[in-house]
Amino acid sequence: MTRDQPPAGTAPPAPAPPIPAPLTTDDPMPATEYKVQLDVFEGPLDLLLYLIKKEEVDIYDIPIERITTQYVQYLDLMRMLDLNVAGEFIVMAATLMMLKSRLLLPPEERAEIEEEEEDPRWDLVRQLVEYKKFKDAAIFLETLEETRKGIFGREGEHVALEPQPDVALHDVSLFDLLTVFQEALRKIRQEDLKEIFAERFTVADKIEAIVTRLRTEECISFAGLFSHMASRHEIVCTFLAVLELIRLRQVQAIQAQVFGEIMLARVEAG
Amino acid sequence: MSDVEVLPELKHIIGALLFVAKQPLTLAAIRRCLQQVADKEGGAARDFARATEPDLAAALEELKVDLLTRKLGFHVAEVAHGFKLENDVNCGLWLRQLLEKGRDNRLTRPALETLAIIAYRQPCTRPEIEAVRGVAVDAIIHNLLELQLIRIAGRSPLPGKPWQYGTTQTFLEHFGLMSLDDLPGIEELRRMEEAQFQRRAQAAAITPAAAAEEGPGAPPAEADEELTEELAHAEAEEEDEEEEERRTSQRSRSCPTRTRAPSP
C-alpha cells in the first residue's frame, strides 16, 4: 500500500481535539503523511540477548539455526517499520548465516577445520557474555537511579536528563514491542486479508486515537490495540504511533514482569 | 576582632558549611576551610584549626545522627567522595511539585549501558565501547557529555589518538555513589576482561588472520593490555589517596534506601 495523497480539500470529519504541541496536524505540508523518524539505539547484540532469553536457550550452546531465523524475522519487522536501524544489524545477520552454514557441514569435514579452530560460535558467545555483564551493571545503575529520583540537591538541582535523543524505553525494550507487533501481523495472516477495502490509515490519526483513549482510560493493553485490526497497514501505523508517542514522552510502556503483558499509560505532565 | 560572639561547636560549623555548599564537601575541604579562617581571624577560631580529620568525622557523625533522630526532612549523605545535605527520599513527591519537575528523569537503557561500560572501563575510547555494545554509540556519547555524566578524560596512545571518556562527579552524585568502588563487582569485571585479553592475545598469536578480522572496532590486543596495565596503576594510586579518607569516615553509609524512615 502506497502513501496515497488524500483528495485535496478533504477535511477531517471532526475538529481535532487539542493535542500536545509536537503532534499538531497543521503541518506545513498537509498533504503528506506524518513521517516518523525513529532511531534505534539498540544493537544486534541486544536483539540476540533478547532472543536467547525469550527462547530460553543456553547462551553457551546457542541453537544457531533457530536463533538466526528469529533474528532475521525481527530484522525484517524493523525494516518494514522503516526504523533507522544500524548497519551492524546486517553485519551480524551475515555472521549468523556464516555460523549456520559452518555448522551445517557434515561432521567429518567439520572436524578438519575444528582441529585448528575452536567452536565457531565461541567468538560470538564471548562477546555476548561480556556485554551481558555490562547490561547487568546498567540494571544496577537503573535501580540506583530509581531509588534516588525523589532526591534533589541544593536549589532543587537535579541532573537534567531531558535531551535524550532515542525512543525513551525504560522498562520495555523495543524488541518486546516488536514481539507484540509480530504476533498481531501473524493473526491477520491467518484470517486472510481484507485489504480490498483499501482503508486509509495514517500515523497521525492513530496517535490521536491513542491520546484520546488515554484521556479517559488509565492504561490500555498494547496487544489489545491491534485486536480488531485486519489490515497490515493499520497495524504498522498503530505501532509507529505508539513508538512516536513514547519518543515524545506522552506515553509510557509498562511491563510488570519479564515477557508479561505490555500496558500503555499516560505520562503525567509536569 | 572576630564577629563570632557565641562560639559555635564544630558540629554547627560543619552543618552550616554543608547547608551552603553546592557540591559535596570532603573532610579535607572542611579542614582547609577551618585552617584558613584561623590564619585570617586568629583568636578563638584557632581552636578549630587544631581539629584533625578524625575529629571532624566524629563531629559529622554526631550531626548525622542528630538530623536523623529529629527527622527534619533532610540528612547528611555520602556521595561523590564527600558529604552533602539531601532531602529525605520519601518527601520527593512534594519537592517534585514545588520544583515543577513533573517527569522522571531517568536514562534510557542504551544510555545506561553505555554509561556502565564507561564507568567500569574508564578511561576508554569510543571504539572500545562500540566493540562491547556492537553498535555505534556516538549519539549517546554526545548526549552523556551534554548531561555532564561523562567527560573527556584524555587521549589514547592508540593510532589516531582517539578521545578517552571517563565518568564525572555528577555521575557519582546522580547515582548516589561514594566512589567508583561502590559499583558492584568492579574487580570481577576487570578480572574477566584481563582473562579475555590474554585469550585474545593467544588467539592472535596462533591465527593472525582471526585478529585482523576483528576490524577497526577492536584495538590490537597488545595495546589493550598496555592500557589495562596503565589503568591498573592509575587506579592503585587513586585507591591509596582514598584509603585514608575512607578509614576516617568509617564507611557508615547513610544511603536513603537503607535508612528508610517510617511513612507518615
Side-chain angles (χ1 to χ4, degrees):
Chain A
M1 196 148 168
T2 51
R3 292 187 185 112
D4 291 328
Q5 296 199 342
T10 314
I19 44 174
L23 309 179
T24 42
T25 40
D26 49 22
D27 205 294
M29 293 179 293
T32 52
E33 194 176 317
Y34 188 87
K35 187 83 178 99
V36 182
Q37 272 293 331
L38 292 169
D39 293 326
V40 174
F41 284 84
E42 276 93 354
L45 295 176
D46 295 288
L47 177 52
L48 279 179
L49 286 173
Y50 173 79
L51 293 175
I52 287 167
K53 207 160 115 192
K54 181 164 157 276
E55 295 293 299
E56 294 177 331
V57 297
D58 182 1
I59 194 169
Y60 292 99
D61 187 18
I62 304 171
I64 290 292
E65 194 177 346
R66 192 158 120 216
I67 294 294
T68 304
T69 313
Q70 294 241 359
Y71 181 92
V72 173
Q73 278 174 6
Y74 276 76
L75 194 55
D76 286 344
L77 289 176
M78 289 192 282
R79 279 200 192 136
M80 182 196 293
L81 291 164
D82 211 8
L83 302 178
N84 295 340
V85 169
E88 285 88 343
F89 273 98
I90 317 292
V91 176
M92 180 59 79
T95 308
L96 288 171
M97 301 286 190
M98 188 201 68
L99 289 179
K100 191 173 139 187
S101 64
R102 271 216 205 160
L103 292 166
L104 283 175
L105 284 177
E108 318 83 71
E109 287 180 41
R110 212 193 314 165
E112 235 172 76
I113 304 168
E114 275 176 18
E115 258 172 52
E116 302 157 23
E117 291 174 43
E118 46 195 0
D119 188 328
R121 296 175 297 181
W122 205 209
D123 264 347
L124 182 62
V125 169
R126 266 199 304 246
Q127 212 182 350
L128 285 171
V129 169
E130 189 191 8
Y131 184 35
K132 181 77 177 51
K133 299 224 168 195
F134 288 108
K135 272 182 110 69
D136 292 343
I139 290 170
F140 169 78
L141 289 179
E142 198 176 28
T143 329
L144 285 185
E145 207 179 30
E146 178 66 29
T147 60
R148 290 183 61 81
K149 70 175 182 188
I151 294 175
F152 299 86
R154 297 262 306 112
E155 300 171 19
E157 284 294 321
H158 211 308
V159 185
L161 300 182
E162 284 307 326
Q164 288 192 73
D166 45 327
V167 180
L169 293 167
H170 296 297
D171 315 306
V172 180
S173 82
L174 174 69
F175 308 123
D176 283 308
L177 298 177
L178 283 174
T179 304
V180 177
F181 177 63
Q182 189 185 31
E183 184 63 18
L185 285 179
R186 200 179 55 79
K187 270 187 193 148
I188 58 158
R189 239 170 249 151
Q190 282 172 349
E191 294 161 13
D192 220 335
L193 304 167
K194 294 176 189 165
E195 270 187 68
I196 359 162
F197 297 109
E199 279 182 81
R200 230 193 134 262
F201 300 100
T202 65
V203 178
D205 289 346
K206 289 294 171 193
I207 284 177
E208 222 176 284
I210 296 168
V211 169
T212 312
R213 265 192 78 180
L214 277 174
R215 229 175 260 143
T216 49
E217 289 167 70
E218 186 88 356
C219 61
I220 51 182
S221 155
F222 178 56
L225 274 182
F226 306 106
S227 62
H228 298 296
M229 292 182 189
S231 113
R232 220 176 142 81
H233 186 229
E234 186 175 11
I235 292 174
V236 170
C237 285
T238 308
F239 188 84
L240 288 175
V242 171
L243 279 192
E244 182 69 354
L245 282 169
I246 293 174
R247 188 179 73 85
L248 294 168
R249 297 191 170 210
Q250 301 295 319
V251 161
Q252 56 180 335
I254 305 158
Q255 194 175 30
Q257 39 185 281
V258 184
F259 299 120
E261 197 182 2
I262 299 168
M263 303 300 285
L264 301 178
R266 223 173 332 158
V267 173
E268 297 308 324
Chain B
M1 66 152 275
S2 131
D3 56 357
V4 181
E5 288 179 10
V6 182
L7 212 56
E9 283 178 45
L10 192 55
K11 180 175 77 178
H12 295 157
I13 300 174
I14 295 175
L17 288 176
L18 292 181
F19 174 68
V20 169
K22 281 184 187 167
Q23 295 203 322
L25 289 179
T26 59
L27 290 178
I30 297 173
R31 193 160 170 231
R32 206 177 317 123
C33 173
L34 291 174
Q35 282 166 347
Q36 281 163 351
V37 172
D39 290 345
K40 256 191 217 158
E41 302 288 334
R46 246 183 239 136
D47 291 347
F48 295 114
R50 278 196 286 275
T52 59
E53 285 197 12
D55 291 339
L56 294 178
L60 200 87
E61 191 59 36
E62 212 180 307
L63 178 73
K64 201 186 278 178
V65 172
D66 279 3
L67 288 178
L68 275 182
T69 49
R70 290 201 198 149
K71 296 200 177 65
L72 298 173
F74 53 91
H75 57 261
V76 179
E78 290 179 44
V79 283
H81 309 294
F83 301 88
K84 73 184 259 218
L85 291 182
E86 261 179 7
N87 68 275
D88 289 348
V89 70
N90 50 6
C91 302
L93 265 173
W94 293 275
L95 290 179
R96 199 169 285 278
Q97 181 62 40
L98 178 77
L99 298 166
E100 293 172 1
K101 297 206 167 157
R103 286 174 196 165
D104 275 7
N105 43 357
R106 291 158 66 200
L107 294 161
T108 61
R109 278 277 166 84
L112 280 168
E113 281 156 16
T114 309
L115 197 52
I117 297 167
I118 296 172
Y120 278 99
R121 283 232 175 139
Q122 58 186 307
C124 67
T125 63
R126 190 160 59 86
E128 284 170 322
I129 303 164
E130 287 173 350
V132 176
R133 278 207 72 214
V135 71
V137 293
D138 35 0
I140 296 176
I141 294 249
H142 178 82
N143 196 229
L144 291 174
L145 278 171
E146 208 156 89
L147 295 170
Q148 298 185 353
L149 290 170
I150 60 168
R151 66 192 166 86
I152 290 168
R155 298 196 94 155
S156 159
L158 292 170
K161 303 220 180 267
W163 294 112
Q164 289 175 318
Y165 300 96
T167 52
T168 59
Q169 168 125 338
T170 312
F171 166 80
L172 294 175
E173 283 182 55
H174 181 68
F175 292 100
L177 295 165
M178 182 62 165
S179 75
L180 289 173
D181 296 331
D182 281 356
L183 291 170
I186 195 159
E187 276 82 23
E188 194 203 335
L189 267 170
R190 198 172 298 144
R191 262 202 305 278
M192 194 202 76
E193 282 163 32
E194 273 163 18
Q196 196 175 24
F197 286 140
Q198 278 162 16
R199 266 202 307 267
R200 227 196 262 170
Q202 281 167 6
I206 299 164
T207 55
E213 261 174 41
E214 283 179 32
E222 279 169 39
D224 246 11
E225 262 175 340
E226 258 172 46
L227 213 66
T228 31
E229 259 174 50
E230 259 175 50
L231 192 67
H233 279 305
E235 262 157 22
E237 281 170 34
E238 222 178 271
E239 271 163 28
D240 284 344
E241 280 173 24
E242 282 164 22
E243 191 79 328
E244 200 188 324
E245 197 176 296
R246 204 175 311 136
R247 237 183 273 126
T248 51
S249 70
Q250 299 163 332
R251 309 272 292 161
S252 51
R253 311 297 317 271
S254 70
C255 200
T257 46
R258 302 199 189 165
T259 56
R260 197 178 290 151
S263 44

